[in-house]
Amino acid sequence: KNLVQKLELKKIRWRQLQSRDAWIAVTFDARGINGQFGGQAYRGYVNGGFSFFFRDDAPWEGWVAGTDVDTSAVTDVMAPQNFRMTGPLDFEVQLDAFRKDISRMRGVFHVKQPGKLHVGKLDDLLANIPPGWPAIKQSSTRVALEALRDFDYTHAAGDFWFVESQGLLDLRLTGPLGSRNFEVALHDNTETQNRWQKGTLGNR
C-alpha cells in the first residue's frame, strides 16, 4: 500500500545551487517511488517532481519549473564572469534518465521583464586585440565585440536540448536597438559531421 513521507528543510544545497524553506513529499508503492518538491530559490519559487520504478531496466524521469527566479543569480552560478542576464525568469525543464546517466534534458524559458545581457567572456578578446593591427581594424573590431557584449532587451526567451555530452541552446532577444539571436552548440570534440557541430538547431 502507499506510504507517503513529507520532509521540510530549512536549506538545501546541490552543487552550486541553493534553496530555502523547501519541502519534499515522497510516495512509495509496489511499482516504485514518486515524489514532488518545492522551495524558495533566488527570489522566486522552484518546484518539480520525479518518478523511479523498481524494475532493473526501467528509466526514471523528472521535471523542474521555476517562477520569478532572479536570472542574474542563476547565470552567476552557472557561468560566473562569462555570461549574465537580468530580470525575473520563468522556466520548465524535463529530464529522462537511466541509472546514473541523463538520457535527455529539454527545457524552455523566458524573462518576464526588460533586462540586460552581458557576455563577460568577450572582455578577454577586447583586452587581447593585437596592438599591431591598423587603427581602423582595432576600432572596428572593438565596436563589433562591444555590440555583442552588451545588449538591453525588452523580451528574452529560448529553449535548450541536451543529450549526454551534446546539446543545443537557442536564445532570442529583442530590444530598442533591434534583436540578438544566439545559437550555442555543445559537443564533446568528437570528429563527426552531425548537426551538433554544424551549429544548426534544425530538426530535433
Side-chain angles (χ1 to χ4, degrees):
K1 297 182 179 180
N2 288 345
L3 175 64
V4 180
Q5 300 287 331
K6 184 175 181 180
L7 179 66
E8 295 182 350
L9 302 164
K10 188 66 177 176
K11 185 177 181 181
I12 296 177
R13 180 172 181 174
W14 181 70
R15 297 185 178 180
Q16 308 102 313
L17 303 175
Q18 298 185 44
S19 177
R20 59 182 176 80
D21 298 329
W23 59 271
I24 180 170
V26 182
T27 301
F28 301 85
D29 61 29
R31 294 177 301 172
I33 302 172
N34 297 285
Q36 292 185 322
F37 59 87
Q40 303 291 329
Y42 305 106
R43 301 180 185 175
Y45 191 80
V46 174
N47 67 300
F50 56 86
S51 295
F52 296 88
F53 302 99
F54 291 142
R55 300 195 319 270
D56 290 339
D57 61 343
W60 63 269
E61 58 188 23
W63 62 272
V64 181
T67 304
D68 292 330
V69 175
D70 183 1
T71 309
S72 61
V74 174
T75 53
D76 286 348
V77 169
M78 304 300 292
Q81 300 179 354
N82 292 330
F83 179 83
R84 195 171 201 259
M85 295 177 65
T86 62
L89 174 73
D90 285 2
F91 67 88
E92 295 180 7
V93 180
Q94 296 179 336
L95 293 171
D96 296 290
F98 182 73
R99 294 178 181 170
K100 295 182 179 180
D101 299 321
I102 295 177
S103 303
R104 185 184 70 163
M105 179 170 64
R106 187 173 187 176
V108 296
F109 58 90
H110 73 275
V111 182
K112 301 169 67 175
Q113 295 178 9
K116 183 173 184 177
L117 167 73
H118 177 76
V119 184
K121 196 66 176 176
L122 293 180
D123 290 334
D124 295 338
L125 296 178
L126 285 165
N128 289 290
I129 293 176
W133 280 5
I136 185 64
K137 186 175 181 180
Q138 289 190 45
S139 60
S140 60
T141 301
R142 185 174 298 278
V143 169
L145 289 176
E146 288 177 348
L148 288 173
R149 182 188 62 183
D150 298 294
F151 184 72
D152 294 320
Y153 52 80
T154 53
H155 298 90
D159 56 81
F160 55 88
W161 190 56
F162 296 107
V163 176
E164 296 178 351
S165 58
Q166 303 185 77
L168 297 167
L169 166 66
D170 182 25
L171 174 62
R172 302 174 296 276
L173 309 174
T174 57
L177 299 180
S179 64
R180 296 286 188 275
N181 295 320
F182 294 90
E183 183 184 81
V184 180
L186 171 69
H187 56 84
D188 58 4
N189 294 321
T190 303
E191 292 296 331
T192 66
Q193 295 299 316
N194 61 32
R195 66 179 181 272
W196 309 107
Q197 278 127 322
K198 292 179 182 178
T200 176
L201 288 170
N203 296 325
R204 301 184 183 181

